[in-house]
mmCIF file of all heavy atoms in Angstrom:
data_model
loop_
_atom_site.group_PDB
_atom_site.id
_atom_site.type_symbol
_atom_site.label_atom_id
_atom_site.label_comp_id
_atom_site.label_asym_id
_atom_site.label_seq_id
_atom_site.Cartn_x
_atom_site.Cartn_y
_atom_site.Cartn_z
ATOM 1 N N GLU A 46 87.753 -133.143 -13.513
ATOM 2 C CA GLU A 46 86.982 -134.020 -14.391
ATOM 3 C C GLU A 46 85.966 -134.719 -13.514
ATOM 4 O O GLU A 46 86.305 -135.298 -12.476
ATOM 5 C CB GLU A 46 87.870 -135.029 -15.097
ATOM 6 C CG GLU A 46 87.124 -135.943 -16.018
ATOM 7 C CD GLU A 46 88.023 -136.848 -16.844
ATOM 8 O OE1 GLU A 46 89.238 -136.919 -16.571
ATOM 9 O OE2 GLU A 46 87.515 -137.482 -17.776
ATOM 10 N N THR A 47 84.688 -134.658 -13.923
ATOM 11 C CA THR A 47 83.652 -135.254 -13.099
ATOM 12 C C THR A 47 82.440 -135.652 -13.935
ATOM 13 O O THR A 47 82.199 -135.078 -15.005
ATOM 14 C CB THR A 47 83.215 -134.260 -11.976
ATOM 15 O OG1 THR A 47 82.315 -134.957 -11.093
ATOM 16 C CG2 THR A 47 82.522 -133.038 -12.549
ATOM 17 N N SER A 48 81.693 -136.585 -13.436
ATOM 18 C CA SER A 48 80.371 -136.867 -13.993
ATOM 19 C C SER A 48 79.433 -135.768 -13.571
ATOM 20 O O SER A 48 79.604 -135.176 -12.470
ATOM 21 C CB SER A 48 79.845 -138.210 -13.467
ATOM 22 O OG SER A 48 80.612 -139.284 -13.942
ATOM 23 N N VAL A 49 78.460 -135.430 -14.409
ATOM 24 C CA VAL A 49 77.525 -134.355 -14.121
ATOM 25 C C VAL A 49 76.108 -134.815 -14.422
ATOM 26 O O VAL A 49 75.897 -135.814 -15.119
ATOM 27 C CB VAL A 49 77.842 -133.070 -14.937
ATOM 28 C CG1 VAL A 49 79.180 -132.483 -14.516
ATOM 29 C CG2 VAL A 49 77.827 -133.355 -16.418
ATOM 30 N N VAL A 50 75.162 -134.055 -13.937
ATOM 31 C CA VAL A 50 73.760 -134.190 -14.297
ATOM 32 C C VAL A 50 73.481 -133.151 -15.383
ATOM 33 O O VAL A 50 73.903 -131.994 -15.225
ATOM 34 C CB VAL A 50 72.813 -133.942 -13.105
ATOM 35 C CG1 VAL A 50 71.350 -134.093 -13.537
ATOM 36 C CG2 VAL A 50 73.154 -134.886 -11.965
ATOM 37 N N ARG A 73 76.199 -125.293 1.076
ATOM 38 C CA ARG A 73 76.344 -126.746 0.926
ATOM 39 C C ARG A 73 75.084 -127.420 1.502
ATOM 40 O O ARG A 73 74.481 -126.923 2.434
ATOM 41 C CB ARG A 73 77.555 -127.268 1.684
ATOM 42 C CG ARG A 73 78.843 -126.960 0.993
ATOM 43 C CD ARG A 73 80.012 -127.664 1.689
ATOM 44 N NE ARG A 73 81.246 -127.334 1.007
ATOM 45 C CZ ARG A 73 81.721 -128.012 -0.034
ATOM 46 N NH1 ARG A 73 81.084 -129.049 -0.493
ATOM 47 N NH2 ARG A 73 82.847 -127.631 -0.598
ATOM 48 N N GLY A 78 74.072 -126.467 -4.016
ATOM 49 C CA GLY A 78 75.419 -126.573 -3.449
ATOM 50 C C GLY A 78 75.948 -125.221 -3.026
ATOM 51 O O GLY A 78 75.190 -124.263 -2.894
ATOM 52 N N PRO A 79 77.265 -125.123 -2.823
ATOM 53 C CA PRO A 79 77.835 -123.887 -2.307
ATOM 54 C C PRO A 79 77.886 -122.719 -3.300
ATOM 55 O O PRO A 79 77.992 -121.577 -2.905
ATOM 56 C CB PRO A 79 79.243 -124.289 -1.867
ATOM 57 C CG PRO A 79 79.576 -125.443 -2.722
ATOM 58 C CD PRO A 79 78.276 -126.157 -2.962
ATOM 59 N N HIS A 104 76.288 -125.779 -11.173
ATOM 60 C CA HIS A 104 76.142 -125.660 -9.729
ATOM 61 C C HIS A 104 76.295 -126.997 -9.044
ATOM 62 O O HIS A 104 76.336 -128.028 -9.696
ATOM 63 C CB HIS A 104 74.834 -124.965 -9.336
ATOM 64 C CG HIS A 104 73.581 -125.638 -9.772
ATOM 65 N ND1 HIS A 104 73.077 -126.752 -9.143
ATOM 66 C CD2 HIS A 104 72.733 -125.356 -10.794
ATOM 67 C CE1 HIS A 104 71.938 -127.095 -9.760
ATOM 68 N NE2 HIS A 104 71.721 -126.285 -10.757
ATOM 69 N N GLY A 105 76.383 -126.964 -7.729
ATOM 70 C CA GLY A 105 76.484 -128.191 -6.969
ATOM 71 C C GLY A 105 75.151 -128.905 -6.903
ATOM 72 O O GLY A 105 74.182 -128.559 -7.598
ATOM 73 N N THR A 106 75.074 -129.914 -6.034
ATOM 74 C CA THR A 106 73.854 -130.685 -5.936
ATOM 75 C C THR A 106 73.742 -131.358 -4.563
ATOM 76 O O THR A 106 74.764 -131.693 -3.971
ATOM 77 C CB THR A 106 73.754 -131.764 -7.028
ATOM 78 O OG1 THR A 106 72.492 -132.441 -6.941
ATOM 79 C CG2 THR A 106 74.873 -132.778 -6.938
ATOM 80 N N PRO A 109 73.781 -136.350 -5.211
ATOM 81 C CA PRO A 109 74.916 -136.971 -5.935
ATOM 82 C C PRO A 109 74.562 -138.296 -6.571
ATOM 83 O O PRO A 109 75.234 -138.740 -7.506
ATOM 84 C CB PRO A 109 76.003 -137.112 -4.860
ATOM 85 C CG PRO A 109 75.271 -137.029 -3.556
ATOM 86 C CD PRO A 109 74.057 -136.196 -3.796
ATOM 87 N N LEU A 112 74.251 -138.080 -10.396
ATOM 88 C CA LEU A 112 75.393 -137.807 -11.271
ATOM 89 C C LEU A 112 75.478 -138.834 -12.381
ATOM 90 O O LEU A 112 75.278 -140.020 -12.154
ATOM 91 C CB LEU A 112 76.706 -137.763 -10.477
ATOM 92 C CG LEU A 112 76.815 -136.597 -9.478
ATOM 93 C CD1 LEU A 112 78.003 -136.781 -8.562
ATOM 94 C CD2 LEU A 112 76.913 -135.280 -10.230
ATOM 95 N N ARG A 122 74.716 -129.979 -13.072
ATOM 96 C CA ARG A 122 74.944 -130.195 -11.628
ATOM 97 C C ARG A 122 76.170 -131.072 -11.457
ATOM 98 O O ARG A 122 76.422 -131.980 -12.273
ATOM 99 C CB ARG A 122 73.745 -130.929 -11.008
ATOM 100 C CG ARG A 122 72.428 -130.229 -11.152
ATOM 101 C CD ARG A 122 71.391 -131.054 -10.422
ATOM 102 N NE ARG A 122 70.065 -130.771 -10.887
ATOM 103 C CZ ARG A 122 69.011 -131.575 -10.706
ATOM 104 N NH1 ARG A 122 69.170 -132.731 -10.072
ATOM 105 N NH2 ARG A 122 67.829 -131.270 -11.169
ATOM 106 N N MET A 123 76.901 -130.818 -10.377
ATOM 107 C CA MET A 123 78.121 -131.592 -10.095
ATOM 108 C C MET A 123 78.322 -131.688 -8.602
ATOM 109 O O MET A 123 77.664 -130.987 -7.833
ATOM 110 C CB MET A 123 79.304 -130.905 -10.768
ATOM 111 C CG MET A 123 79.627 -129.531 -10.244
ATOM 112 S SD MET A 123 80.702 -128.591 -11.310
ATOM 113 C CE MET A 123 79.606 -128.242 -12.684
ATOM 114 N N PRO A 124 79.290 -132.493 -8.160
ATOM 115 C CA PRO A 124 79.574 -132.568 -6.732
ATOM 116 C C PRO A 124 79.954 -131.203 -6.166
ATOM 117 O O PRO A 124 80.598 -130.387 -6.860
ATOM 118 C CB PRO A 124 80.757 -133.547 -6.643
ATOM 119 C CG PRO A 124 80.670 -134.364 -7.878
ATOM 120 C CD PRO A 124 80.121 -133.439 -8.929
ATOM 121 N N ASP A 125 79.581 -130.961 -4.920
ATOM 122 C CA ASP A 125 79.845 -129.673 -4.283
ATOM 123 C C ASP A 125 81.345 -129.328 -4.248
ATOM 124 O O ASP A 125 81.711 -128.174 -4.422
ATOM 125 C CB ASP A 125 79.295 -129.648 -2.851
ATOM 126 C CG ASP A 125 77.782 -129.500 -2.818
ATOM 127 O OD1 ASP A 125 77.148 -129.348 -3.891
ATOM 128 O OD2 ASP A 125 77.208 -129.522 -1.701
ATOM 129 N N ASP A 126 82.211 -130.321 -4.036
ATOM 130 C CA ASP A 126 83.632 -130.031 -3.995
ATOM 131 C C ASP A 126 84.152 -129.584 -5.348
ATOM 132 O O ASP A 126 85.073 -128.756 -5.451
ATOM 133 C CB ASP A 126 84.444 -131.196 -3.449
ATOM 134 C CG ASP A 126 84.322 -132.466 -4.251
ATOM 135 O OD1 ASP A 126 83.283 -132.658 -4.917
ATOM 136 O OD2 ASP A 126 85.268 -133.270 -4.220
ATOM 137 N N VAL A 127 83.551 -130.074 -6.425
ATOM 138 C CA VAL A 127 83.974 -129.664 -7.756
ATOM 139 C C VAL A 127 83.509 -128.250 -8.095
ATOM 140 O O VAL A 127 84.285 -127.447 -8.633
ATOM 141 C CB VAL A 127 83.506 -130.672 -8.839
ATOM 142 C CG1 VAL A 127 83.890 -130.197 -10.244
ATOM 143 C CG2 VAL A 127 84.075 -132.068 -8.578
ATOM 144 N N ILE A 128 82.272 -127.903 -7.741
ATOM 145 C CA ILE A 128 81.825 -126.548 -8.033
ATOM 146 C C ILE A 128 82.633 -125.547 -7.202
ATOM 147 O O ILE A 128 82.925 -124.442 -7.669
ATOM 148 C CB ILE A 128 80.284 -126.348 -7.854
ATOM 149 C CG1 ILE A 128 79.820 -125.062 -8.519
ATOM 150 C CG2 ILE A 128 79.888 -126.374 -6.404
ATOM 151 C CD1 ILE A 128 79.933 -125.012 -10.015
ATOM 152 N N GLN A 129 83.022 -125.934 -6.000
ATOM 153 C CA GLN A 129 83.885 -125.056 -5.190
ATOM 154 C C GLN A 129 85.233 -124.856 -5.868
ATOM 155 O O GLN A 129 85.758 -123.741 -5.947
ATOM 156 C CB GLN A 129 84.080 -125.627 -3.798
ATOM 157 C CG GLN A 129 84.914 -124.747 -2.887
ATOM 158 C CD GLN A 129 84.240 -123.439 -2.561
ATOM 159 O OE1 GLN A 129 83.128 -123.432 -2.005
ATOM 160 N NE2 GLN A 129 84.870 -122.326 -2.882
ATOM 161 N N LEU A 130 85.813 -125.957 -6.400
ATOM 162 C CA LEU A 130 87.092 -125.881 -7.127
ATOM 163 C C LEU A 130 86.965 -124.961 -8.355
ATOM 164 O O LEU A 130 87.835 -124.134 -8.606
ATOM 165 C CB LEU A 130 87.531 -127.264 -7.537
ATOM 166 C CG LEU A 130 88.810 -127.328 -8.344
ATOM 167 C CD1 LEU A 130 90.032 -127.100 -7.460
ATOM 168 C CD2 LEU A 130 88.951 -128.675 -9.046
ATOM 169 N N LEU A 131 85.865 -125.097 -9.080
ATOM 170 C CA LEU A 131 85.646 -124.252 -10.258
ATOM 171 C C LEU A 131 85.503 -122.778 -9.840
ATOM 172 O O LEU A 131 86.087 -121.908 -10.463
ATOM 173 C CB LEU A 131 84.416 -124.706 -11.034
ATOM 174 C CG LEU A 131 84.482 -126.098 -11.663
ATOM 175 C CD1 LEU A 131 83.251 -126.361 -12.501
ATOM 176 C CD2 LEU A 131 85.752 -126.323 -12.448
#
Side-chain angles (χ1 to χ4, degrees):
E46 181 174 10
T47 188
S48 293
V49 294
V50 179
R73 285 187 181 273
H104 60 78
T106 184
L112 292 170
R122 301 182 202 161
M123 64 196 71
D125 285 357
D126 60 333
V127 176
I128 196 65
Q129 182 67 58
L130 178 75
L131 296 185

